[in-house]
């Protein structure tokens, strides 16, 4: 079975009140930690309003992250294509790819916040078509073509990139929520997907249908989509026990839901939580919950369920939030890397098999102890000294340690 990749997605969702400079620095610290822990990918978004989401340029943030990291892939999650001239987007992504040593992933979307589109005077009805148009242009530019194009929102005259991406094939990824738009684009161009709607129960249960949209579009346009290029977003907070995870995440989860989702975005159908316990219960402990607040074992169970419901994906991306304080948040990501990733990918299976083999075949290895005893007993002084320095009194590896009582009985 192919190894499942793991990553993090920073929108960001930071509560209002903290110094933005310190938030940026703490976010960069997190990327550095994730790189050291072996995570495969890090994503950050583009937003221009709402207060909570304050990274306006993912390319700029990821360039800084690239200087702090060595191996983790860095994805724009996402560049809102209708907000930018496609040629400028292509140039910035090429520069990011070179500045990070070929670690850039180009993630795009139509723009998530209606308030952002309003600020820029963009009709929301045009956004998805503009994303589609821009992807086609940017792919041609990345291929080294000279492009002349005129649209109702941009013009390009003999445009060609001076520098092409460092990667032979920079990964293209589109964001997808509940509507078929993102999956259809992925199928049309044969590119990757990051499913953001999976953070809700409805989105999680619709993953198989979403994949069908991508395959149908691929068939229509003569392309191919691969599950290995499909990323699914999940939310979690992990601690040693469920009770500890609940204590650490409850108040922050309640604030995020009440102040941002209900109070700021005013998402339809949502009501405020009345207590941290209610927030945790209704987020992580209802039937089909898409969030995990608990132990590494709980998250392993959630991920296995996602793989079953979806039919298989290539990467699990955790949503970065401030439900817990910075110290406990970092501890949560550490525990996922230490316990969840190796359990899912089978990194400790060989160690368990090795231990089991030794336990079940003890008789085979007793001869090693007999060899040690034989040499000791050949020397009268060594045999006498062993009564004082035998097993339990000196650092002899247990597998080679002679059994004095057993040998004495034989003699």
């Amino acid at each position: 079975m192919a190894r499942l990749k793991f990553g993090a997605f920073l929108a960001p969702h930071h509560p209002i009140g903290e110094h933005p400079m310190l938030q940026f620095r703490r976010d960069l610290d997190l990327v550095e930690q994730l790189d050291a822990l072996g995570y495969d990918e890090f994503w950050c978004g583009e937003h221009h309003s709402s207060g909570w989401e304050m990274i306006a340029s993912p390319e700029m943030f990821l360039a800084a992250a690239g200087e702090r990291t060595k191996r983790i892939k860095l994805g724009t999650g996402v560049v809102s294509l209708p907000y930018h001239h496609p040629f400028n987007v292509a140039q910035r992504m090429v520069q990011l790819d070179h500045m990070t040593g070929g670690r850039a992933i180009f993630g795009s979307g139509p723009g998530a916040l209606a308030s952002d589109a309003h600020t820029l005077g963009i009709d929301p009805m045009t956004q998805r078509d503009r994303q589609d148009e821009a992807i086609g242009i940017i792919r041609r530019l990345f291929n080294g073509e000279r492009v002349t194009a005129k649209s109702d929102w941009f013009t390009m005259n003999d445009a060609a990139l001076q520098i092409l991406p460092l990667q032979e094939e920079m990964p293209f990824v589109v964001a997808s929520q509940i509507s078929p738009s993102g999956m259809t684009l992925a199928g049309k161009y044969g590119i990757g997907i990051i499913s953001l709607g999976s953070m809700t129960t409805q989105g999680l249960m619709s993953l198989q249908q979403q994949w069908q949209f991508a395959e149908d579009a691929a068939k229509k346009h003569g392309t191919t989509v691969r599950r290995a290029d499909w990323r699914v977003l999940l939310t979690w907070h992990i601690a040693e026990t469920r009770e500890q995870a609940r204590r650490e995440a409850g108040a922050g989860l309640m604030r995020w839901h009440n102040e941002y989702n209900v109070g700021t975005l005013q998402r339809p159908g949502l009501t405020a939580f009345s207590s941290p316990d209610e927030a945790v219960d209704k987020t992580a402990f209802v039937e089909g919950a898409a969030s995990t607040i608990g132990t590494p074992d709980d998250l392993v169970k959630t991920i296995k369920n996602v793989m079953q419901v979806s039919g298989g994906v290539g990467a699990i991306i955790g949503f970065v939030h401030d439900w817990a304080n910075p110290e406990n948040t970092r501890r949560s990501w550490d525990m996922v890397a230490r316990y969840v990733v190796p359990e899912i990918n089978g990194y400790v299976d060989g160690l368990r098999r090795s231990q089991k083999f030794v336990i079940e075949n003890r008789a085979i290895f007793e001869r090693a102890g007999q060899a040690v005893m034989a040499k000791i007993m050949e020397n009268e002084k060594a045999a006498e000294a062993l009564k004082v320095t035998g097993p339990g009194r000196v650092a002899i590896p247990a597998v080679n340690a002679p059994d004095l009582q057993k040998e004495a009985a034989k003699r």
Side-chain angles (χ1 to χ4, degrees):
M1 185 179 71
R3 183 177 73 87
L4 191 64
K5 293 181 179 179
F6 283 81
F9 186 100
L10 177 77
H13 281 192
H14 291 316
I16 299 170
E18 184 179 338
H19 198 313
M21 177 190 72
L22 299 179
Q23 289 177 327
F24 285 134
R25 289 182 177 177
R26 190 169 74 242
D27 290 339
L28 288 170
D29 289 342
L30 176 63
V31 188
E32 194 170 0
Q33 178 195 10
L34 297 175
D35 183 56
L37 289 173
Y39 283 89
D40 300 286
E41 299 176 354
F42 176 84
W43 299 76
C44 75
E46 172 194 350
H47 302 92
H48 307 281
S49 57
S50 86
W52 282 59
E53 303 182 71
M54 25 69 77
I55 289 180
S57 171
E59 304 98 326
M60 186 180 294
F61 183 92
L62 295 175
E67 291 298 299
R68 290 195 180 203
T69 56
K70 297 177 181 178
R71 52 166 299 281
I72 196 169
K73 296 280 189 178
L74 302 168
T76 56
V78 295
V79 174
S80 300
L81 291 181
Y83 304 166
H84 309 276
H85 193 294
F87 187 77
N88 288 334
V89 174
Q91 287 199 111
R92 291 198 300 267
M93 288 307 304
V94 168
Q95 182 171 332
L96 179 64
D97 200 37
H98 280 266
M99 290 182 68
T100 59
R103 291 187 281 145
I105 303 174
F106 176 40
S108 75
L113 297 179
S115 51
D116 287 353
H118 174 75
T119 298
L120 297 168
I122 296 172
D123 181 357
M125 297 299 292
T126 68
Q127 288 177 252
R128 282 155 184 79
D129 289 339
R130 288 186 177 187
Q131 182 195 4
D132 186 350
E133 187 176 14
I135 288 175
I137 292 290
I138 293 169
R139 284 171 65 83
R140 291 176 61 192
L141 291 169
F142 279 5
N143 288 333
E145 294 183 34
R146 187 171 293 278
V147 179
T148 295
K150 187 172 181 61
S151 171
D152 61 345
W153 62 291
F154 69 85
T155 299
M156 297 172 66
N157 295 320
D158 299 321
L161 296 175
Q162 297 185 101
I163 308 171
L164 296 180
L166 182 60
Q167 299 176 80
E168 187 173 359
E169 199 65 44
M170 185 194 296
F172 266 67
V173 177
V174 291
S176 172
Q177 298 204 44
I178 300 297
S179 79
S181 175
M183 303 299 276
T184 301
L185 273 182
K188 178 179 179 178
Y189 292 105
I191 57 181
I193 306 145
I194 182 164
S195 290
L196 310 181
S198 51
M199 291 193 298
T200 67
T201 299
Q202 179 187 3
L204 188 63
M205 298 310 296
S206 69
L207 286 176
Q208 188 62 264
Q209 177 60 60
Q210 291 283 309
W211 183 251
Q212 191 62 52
F213 291 143
E215 289 193 324
D216 289 346
K219 184 177 180 180
K220 177 180 177 181
H221 293 277
T223 63
T224 303
V225 285
R226 303 189 314 145
R227 287 182 177 270
D229 298 326
W230 187 13
R231 298 157 175 88
V232 168
L233 199 63
L234 298 177
T235 49
W236 61 64
H237 179 74
I238 303 303
E240 280 81 357
T241 65
R242 287 183 180 178
E243 292 72 22
Q244 183 179 341
R246 175 185 288 269
R247 287 195 305 271
E248 293 174 356
L253 167 59
M254 178 178 170
R255 182 180 181 185
W256 170 74
H257 177 83
N258 290 1
E259 291 187 18
Y260 186 63
N261 292 313
V262 177
T264 303
L265 299 184
Q266 301 176 46
R267 296 191 187 279
L270 294 184
T271 57
F273 295 136
S274 60
S275 70
D277 277 339
E278 182 190 11
V280 173
D281 288 338
K282 290 188 175 180
T283 300
F285 293 100
V286 293
E287 186 69 27
S291 298
T292 302
I293 298 174
T295 67
D297 288 342
D298 291 327
L299 184 53
V300 167
K301 182 178 178 181
T302 297
I303 292 171
K304 288 182 177 179
N305 179 57
V306 168
M307 297 299 283
Q308 183 177 2
V309 168
S310 66
V313 303
I316 295 294
I317 308 297
F319 187 79
V320 180
H321 49 70
D322 287 347
W323 294 354
N325 64 32
E327 294 74 24
N328 290 331
T329 297
R330 290 172 66 90
R331 170 73 170 159
S332 173
W333 287 97
D334 178 80
M335 292 191 73
V336 173
R338 290 165 62 196
Y339 301 115
V340 177
V341 174
E343 189 66 33
I344 291 293
N345 285 327
Y347 296 156
V348 295
D349 289 354
L351 297 174
R352 290 187 176 125
R353 287 193 297 269
S354 180
Q355 180 191 36
K356 185 172 184 288
F357 183 79
V358 171
I359 291 171
E360 293 178 350
N361 293 274
R362 177 63 190 172
I364 297 175
F365 306 110
E366 285 187 355
R367 186 164 177 77
Q370 293 168 4
V372 174
M373 179 60 76
K375 287 298 180 183
I376 291 174
M377 300 309 292
E378 287 176 2
N379 186 298
E380 184 177 338
K381 291 183 178 180
E384 198 62 30
L386 190 61
K387 296 177 182 178
V388 179
T389 61
R393 301 184 183 90
V394 69
I396 303 175
V399 70
N400 293 327
D403 187 331
L404 296 181
Q405 293 181 347
K406 189 175 181 179
E407 293 299 325
K410 288 180 181 179
R411 296 172 183 276

